[in-house]
């Protein structure tokens, strides 16, 4: 409910700061983030610290009634440090060193870099410990950006061996757990195990999965080192980190355990291009505003990581520099994104950056102000969002944000969508079809929930599920007996559970079990998987209701199910080897209910499965929303966000509209009374209902 900005005073003459900061306050900005890449300015040579510039900027921010979020500058170790310790640089799989001249060039396992990190973080934290205008700290910047979670240097090799030796003992336990008789991959000691470096063909999937877990743990402990130092200096600061969108190699849940606030960086028109399914193109509207579900799923993931409101630490301010194409966002899109984030539970949205930079790599990236300092399109949008948030907040200050300012209450989602990075990592290494992409499979189910205006928590399978009326598990590929027991308990006590395909295929070591899929979930599902197949998109593939012959298309993946105690809901249609075999089954279990969907559903089938889940679990929902229109409910309000260039009509009376009107323009938003969400109808202007 508040807006902020990322500011780099070090890029501008100090005489300009007063003007910049006064203009920020004028725009309604309340939070300013600084210093994430400033090590070279803060310590131009070893031990010679220059922090006065940052103190001066901080004071100006405080004088104008705003607060600052400072960042540890560790994402960009300066040249003098790299020259002193070239061993701290990362290495690619083939040994190529990731050299100085860009950013994120350090290795998380370098003992030298960890010492240096401790030194600079302690120095800065102690220096600013009593500064009244610092609300909190961001550790580093976007851990893993530019594919840097996984490094293959000698320090990582040593770290990996120690990590394995702590997990398995003796080495034969590892050989057994992974299945190393295959292709003679046995090891006779932990010393013999290397990172999965460049190889002739694919690596052993168990070794890969362990390397990915190890690499993740390396970031977790590196982040903890920073968080501990910051808290030692001042434990009233919040500690946060800015995660990324649709990001694969870092487990946001595990890093978040050491944070007070989760934040992430949202660039909708960039993501719509470079995180889109291969071989597909963004729609014209997605090029202008992005895909609300792609961005929405990340909002929900980062909100769920600590089950607390999150912040958008970097919000796209206009056109950017890094996707394949850099179109201008639709008119009002920067305002729309701030509202959309708020509807998903954001307490603050900070735009990246204040002013277009005159120098270096990001000259083609917009800011809220143009390079001459005049307002850009984003500034106008951000200002509008800021004043609208102020109005919406009035009388509804039911909570406080991470910095202690009044805020709207937290989102209360009735549905949990299960997500786990182990599954992402395992499925990404063995997709078994070029178009089997983990996030897209999640989105097949998530999008159907969002198209019915339902708020969704994106949670780890070990989360307490009892509070959720329904749970959707699109890709629970690796399943331990403990997870199976939790899910069984959830259903037996009245829960409603929907599984997607490839569930329960493997154990935690990424190995098949000597029992049929879905392994430890077989009794809960009431069926086993007899066969599976992956299918190219040019085949027409559908399931059908055996009684009514109603057909629904599916794609990519098909499992032939063998019910034991479950009943058949859909069978394969058409005239193929799969015809009439069960594809979707359902199973009543004590007070609850389970559906197992053995295919990757296209939108109509997903909507059918999701609406029956919502009905059975008695969850309020809207009528099916037009593509690119989403409804998000939070506290007393519901936001109707329009990510399309068409105008909409909401079927409600004007008294039920809090902001905007029942006619919603292109890339516009209306805020309505949350009580109208159940059964709400939104249609594209001029189209029959
Ligand atoms: C983010 C990064 C920023 C800036 C921005 C450009 O990923 O954290 O420093 O590079 O992208 O869009």
């Amino acid at each position: 409910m508040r807006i902020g900005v990322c500011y780099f005073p070090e890029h501008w003459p100090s005489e300009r700061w007063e003007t910049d900061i006064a203009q920020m306050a004028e725009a309604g900005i309340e939070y300013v983030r600084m210093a994430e890449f400033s090590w070279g300015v803060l310590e131009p040579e070893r031990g010679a610290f220059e922090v006065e510039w940052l103190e001066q900027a901080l004071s100006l921010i405080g004088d104008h009634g705003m607060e600052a979020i400072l960042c540890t500058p560790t994402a960009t170790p300066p040249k003098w440090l790299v020259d002193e310790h070239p061993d701290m640089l990362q290495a690619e799989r083939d040994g190529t060193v990731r050299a100085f001249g860009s950013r994120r060039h350090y290795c998380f396992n370098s003992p030298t870099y960890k010492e240096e990190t401790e030194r600079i973080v302690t120095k800065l934290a102690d220096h600013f410990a009593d500064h009244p205008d610092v609300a909190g700290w961001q550790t580093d910047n976007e851990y893993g950006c530019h594919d840097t979670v996984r490094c293959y240097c000698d320090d990582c090799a040593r770290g990996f061996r120690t990590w394995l030796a702590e997990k398995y003992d003796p080495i034969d336990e590892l050989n057994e757990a992974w299945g190393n008789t295959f292709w003679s991959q046995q090891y006779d000691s932990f010393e013999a195990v290397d990172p999965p470096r460049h190889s002739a063909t694919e690596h052993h999937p168990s070794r890969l999965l362990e390397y990915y877990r190890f690499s993740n743990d390396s970031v977790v402990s590196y982040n903890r080192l920073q968080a501990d130092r910051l808290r030692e200096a001042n434990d009233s600061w919040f500690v946060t980190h800015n995660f990324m969108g649709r990001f694969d190699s870092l487990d946001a849940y595990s890093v978040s355990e050491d944070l007070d606030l989760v934040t992430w960086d949202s660039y909708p028109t960039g993501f719509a291009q470079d995180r889109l399914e291969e071989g597909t193109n963004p729609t014209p509207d997605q090029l202008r505003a992005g895909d609300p579900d792609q961005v929405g799923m990340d909002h929900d993931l980062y909100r769920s990581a600590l089950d607390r409101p999150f912040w958008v630490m970097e919000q796209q301010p206009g056109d950017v520099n890094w996707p394949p194409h850099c179109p201008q966002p639709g008119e009002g899109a920067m305002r729309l994104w701030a509202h959309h984030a708020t509807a998903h539970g954001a307490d603050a949205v900070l735009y990246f950056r204040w002013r277009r930079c005159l120098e270096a790599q990001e000259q083609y990236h917009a800011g809220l102000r143009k390079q001459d300092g005049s307002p850009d399109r984003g500034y106008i949008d951000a200002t509008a969002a800021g004043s609208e948030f102020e109005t919406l907040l009035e009388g509804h200050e039911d909570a406080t944000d991470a910095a202690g300012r009044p805020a709207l209450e937290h989102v209360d989602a009735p549905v949990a969508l299960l997500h786990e990075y182990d599954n992402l990592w395992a499925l990404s290494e063995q997709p078994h079809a070029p178009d089997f992409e983990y996030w897209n499979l999640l989105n097949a189910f998530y999008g159907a929930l969002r198209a019915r205006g339902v708020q969704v928590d994106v949670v780890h399978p070990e989360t307490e599920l009892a509070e959720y009326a329904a749970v959707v598990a699109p890709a629970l590929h690796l399943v331990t007996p403990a997870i199976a027991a939790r899910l069984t308990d959830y259903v037996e006590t009245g829960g409603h559970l929907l599984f997607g395909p490839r569930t329960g295929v493997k154990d935690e070591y990424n190995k098949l079990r000597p029992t049929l899929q879905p392994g430890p979930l077989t009794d809960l599902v009431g069926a086993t998987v007899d066969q599976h197949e992956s299918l190219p998109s040019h085949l027409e593939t559908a399931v059908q209701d055996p009684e009514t012959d109603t057909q629904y298309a599916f794609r990519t993946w098909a499992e032939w199910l063998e019910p034991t105690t479950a009943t058949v809901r859909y069978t394969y249609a058409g005239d193929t080897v799969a015809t009439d075999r069960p594809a979707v089954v359902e199973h009543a279990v004590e007070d609850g209910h389970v559906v197992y969907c053995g295919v990757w559903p296209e939108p109509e089938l997903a909507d059918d499965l999701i609406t029956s889940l919502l009905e059975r679990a008695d969850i309020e929902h809207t009528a099916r929303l037009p593509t690119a229109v989403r409804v998000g409910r939070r506290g007393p309000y519901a936001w109707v966000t329009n990510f399309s260039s068409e105008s909409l009509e909401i079927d409600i009376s004007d008294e039920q509209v809090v902001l905007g009107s029942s006619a919603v323009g292109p890339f516009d938003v209306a805020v309505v009374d949350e009580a109208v969400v159940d059964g709400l109808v939104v249609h594209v202007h001029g189209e029959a209902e």
Side-chain angles (χ1 to χ4, degrees):
M1 297 303 280
R2 294 175 190 282
I3 59 161
V5 76
C6 304
Y7 184 45
F8 298 88
E10 69 272 32
H11 295 171
W12 303 98
S14 54
E15 305 77 63
R16 175 72 196 187
W17 299 349
E18 169 82 57
T19 310
D20 284 347
I21 290 168
Q23 286 171 344
M24 290 175 197
E26 228 169 82
I29 281 169
E30 296 186 56
Y31 297 120
V32 184
R33 186 194 68 169
M34 294 188 293
E36 70 270 30
F37 303 121
S38 65
W39 197 335
V41 188
L42 288 165
E43 192 186 12
E45 55 185 274
R46 179 173 287 287
F49 292 98
E50 291 182 14
V51 286
E52 299 71 27
W53 64 273
L54 193 50
E55 283 169 357
Q56 198 185 329
L58 273 174
S59 301
L60 286 169
I61 287 166
D63 292 349
H64 285 85
M66 300 180 284
E67 280 179 275
I69 293 87
L70 291 184
C71 307
T72 65
T74 46
T76 47
K79 184 69 165 59
W80 60 260
L81 182 52
V82 175
D83 286 344
E84 267 182 29
H85 300 288
D87 59 312
M88 58 175 254
L89 294 172
Q90 288 210 338
E92 313 268 353
R93 272 178 186 233
D94 67 358
T96 308
V97 169
R98 292 172 176 159
F100 179 85
S102 167
R103 60 178 174 183
R104 300 225 56 79
H105 36 286
Y106 71 87
C107 169
F108 292 104
N109 283 303
S110 158
T112 317
Y113 197 60
K114 286 198 252 187
E115 267 174 41
E116 290 297 325
T117 295
E118 219 162 338
R119 191 178 63 82
I120 187 75
V121 173
T122 308
K123 177 78 193 171
L124 294 175
D126 288 349
H127 187 88
F128 291 105
D130 300 320
H131 204 293
D133 303 314
V134 181
W137 283 77
Q138 172 186 302
T139 55
D140 204 285
N141 188 76
E142 291 191 340
Y143 288 133
C145 185
H146 317 303
D147 198 15
T148 55
V149 167
R150 296 166 192 162
C151 165
Y152 299 86
C153 74
D154 290 343
D155 283 331
C156 286
R158 278 186 284 276
F160 187 40
R161 293 172 194 137
T162 309
W163 186 91
L164 290 172
E166 278 165 12
K167 180 162 180 178
Y168 304 93
D169 186 29
I171 188 71
D172 275 343
E173 199 184 296
L174 178 152
N175 287 321
E176 177 68 21
W178 293 8
N180 283 347
T181 46
F182 191 84
W183 290 355
S184 281
Q185 293 177 82
Q186 302 90 337
Y187 298 100
D188 59 6
S189 71
F190 291 104
E191 280 310 297
V193 191
D194 284 323
R197 290 179 172 135
H198 190 66
S199 57
T201 182
E202 63 198 299
H203 272 289
H204 192 304
S206 304
R207 179 172 165 212
L208 283 178
L209 181 57
E210 289 296 45
Y211 199 68
Y212 298 167
R213 287 172 172 149
F214 155 75
S215 304
N216 184 72
D217 284 1
S218 307
V219 182
V220 170
S221 62
Y222 179 79
N223 179 64
R224 183 172 304 145
L225 180 154
Q226 296 213 8
D228 287 351
R229 293 291 84 76
L230 293 167
R231 292 198 176 102
E232 271 164 28
N234 181 340
D235 63 7
S236 68
W237 284 332
F238 64 75
V239 177
T240 187
H241 178 72
N242 57 335
F243 293 99
M244 283 169 286
R246 286 252 163 142
F247 193 67
D248 284 3
S249 51
L250 188 64
D251 177 340
Y253 300 124
S254 59
V255 178
S256 298
E257 283 173 24
D258 291 300
L259 304 175
D260 306 298
L261 166 70
V262 176
T263 69
W264 80 285
D265 299 343
S266 175
Y267 292 89
T269 66
F271 299 156
Q273 297 177 66
D274 83 344
R275 277 113 161 132
L276 202 65
E277 182 166 341
E278 240 173 273
T280 60
N281 287 316
T283 64
D285 285 349
Q286 286 170 349
L287 282 171
R288 300 290 174 198
D291 172 350
D293 292 339
Q294 194 185 38
V295 176
M297 204 197 309
D298 279 310
H299 286 326
D300 293 345
L301 162 62
Y302 295 121
R303 183 190 69 241
S304 307
L306 285 179
D307 191 14
R308 258 177 234 174
F310 64 99
W311 289 17
V312 175
M313 193 59 102
E314 295 180 16
Q315 176 66 68
Q316 183 176 338
D319 57 310
V320 290
N321 66 316
W322 49 265
H325 294 96
C326 305
Q328 281 296 329
E331 207 57 53
M334 284 68 74
R335 164 179 171 262
L336 172 71
W337 295 329
H339 277 283
H340 182 243
T342 304
H344 281 265
D347 272 353
V349 175
L350 283 73
Y351 291 85
F352 181 92
R353 56 179 55 229
W354 171 246
R355 180 168 166 184
R356 185 184 289 267
C357 192
L358 304 185
E359 61 204 34
Q361 276 93 329
E362 294 182 346
Q363 296 170 59
Y364 275 98
H365 196 293
L368 292 183
R369 312 284 294 200
K370 294 180 180 166
Q371 74 236 46
D372 66 351
S374 62
D376 208 341
R377 302 174 68 224
Y379 182 83
I380 295 158
D381 278 11
T383 311
S387 76
E388 287 160 355
F389 288 163
E390 214 173 292
T391 313
L392 290 171
L393 197 53
E394 252 171 53
H396 297 286
E397 297 101 340
D398 296 322
T400 46
D401 72 9
R405 297 192 179 205
L408 208 60
E409 71 190 63
H410 187 37
V411 167
D412 183 15
V415 178
L417 184 100
L418 304 189
H419 157 57
E420 193 186 22
Y421 290 86
D422 283 355
N423 293 313
L424 190 170
W425 298 334
L427 283 167
S428 305
E429 289 302 333
Q430 294 187 310
H432 215 54
D435 51 346
F436 198 104
E437 205 274 332
Y438 176 88
W439 294 109
N440 288 336
L441 176 61
L442 251 58
N443 194 52
F445 293 86
Y446 176 83
L449 286 159
R450 296 294 303 132
R452 294 277 172 178
V454 176
Q455 290 284 35
V456 182
D457 281 351
V458 177
V459 301
H460 190 279
E462 279 167 12
T463 303
E464 179 52 69
L465 297 173
E467 66 179 272
Y468 295 105
V471 173
V472 181
L476 211 54
H477 187 57
L478 313 178
V479 176
T480 60
I483 295 288
R486 292 176 81 94
L487 293 174
T488 304
D489 183 53
Y490 169 72
V491 176
E492 284 177 353
T493 51
H496 298 274
L497 179 55
L498 168 60
F499 286 115
R502 300 184 79 169
T503 294
V505 177
K506 297 204 191 187
D507 68 13
E508 65 190 289
Y509 303 104
N510 209 5
K511 210 168 69 170
L512 285 184
R513 287 200 174 75
T515 54
L516 293 179
Q517 186 194 341
L521 292 166
T522 300
D523 289 345
L524 182 62
V525 169
T528 54
V529 176
D530 179 41
Q531 300 292 340
H532 62 255
E533 56 178 349
S534 63
L535 298 161
S537 57
H538 64 266
L539 291 186
E540 276 188 23
T541 45
V543 298
Q544 68 182 13
D545 183 327
E547 274 158 31
T548 63
D549 289 347
T550 312
Q551 294 202 358
Y552 292 109
F554 74 88
R555 50 166 282 193
T556 312
W557 194 264
E559 289 169 348
W560 305 353
L561 308 179
E562 284 279 357
T564 46
T565 44
T567 53
V568 176
R569 176 126 159 222
Y570 295 121
T571 55
Y572 289 101
D575 185 14
T576 74
V577 63
T579 305
D580 293 337
R581 295 178 193 271
V584 179
V585 297
E586 51 189 329
H587 196 209
V589 182
E590 298 195 12
D591 296 334
H593 194 269
V594 177
V595 172
Y596 186 98
C597 172
V599 297
W600 178 319
E602 289 282 23
E604 295 306 315
L605 176 57
D607 182 61
D608 172 76
L609 297 173
I610 289 297
T611 46
S612 45
L613 179 79
L614 297 174
E615 301 284 330
R616 212 179 293 112
D618 205 15
I619 296 169
E620 291 186 347
H621 56 87
T622 63
R624 197 162 172 199
L625 298 165
T627 315
V629 176
R630 291 295 177 255
V631 171
R633 209 169 178 172
R634 180 178 183 192
Y637 305 126
W639 277 256
V640 181
T641 45
N642 182 11
F643 280 66
S644 83
S645 52
E646 289 176 299
S647 298
L648 310 174
E649 279 297 329
I650 316 175
D651 282 358
I652 49 172
S653 66
D654 283 343
E655 301 82 75
Q656 293 161 319
V657 181
V658 185
L659 176 83
S661 84
S662 58
V664 184
F667 309 115
D668 198 357
V669 57
V671 182
V672 302
D673 182 342
E674 69 84 29
V676 305
V677 165
D678 198 25
L680 187 75
V681 176
V682 179
H683 44 97
V684 175
H685 189 73
E687 273 183 9
E689 272 175 43

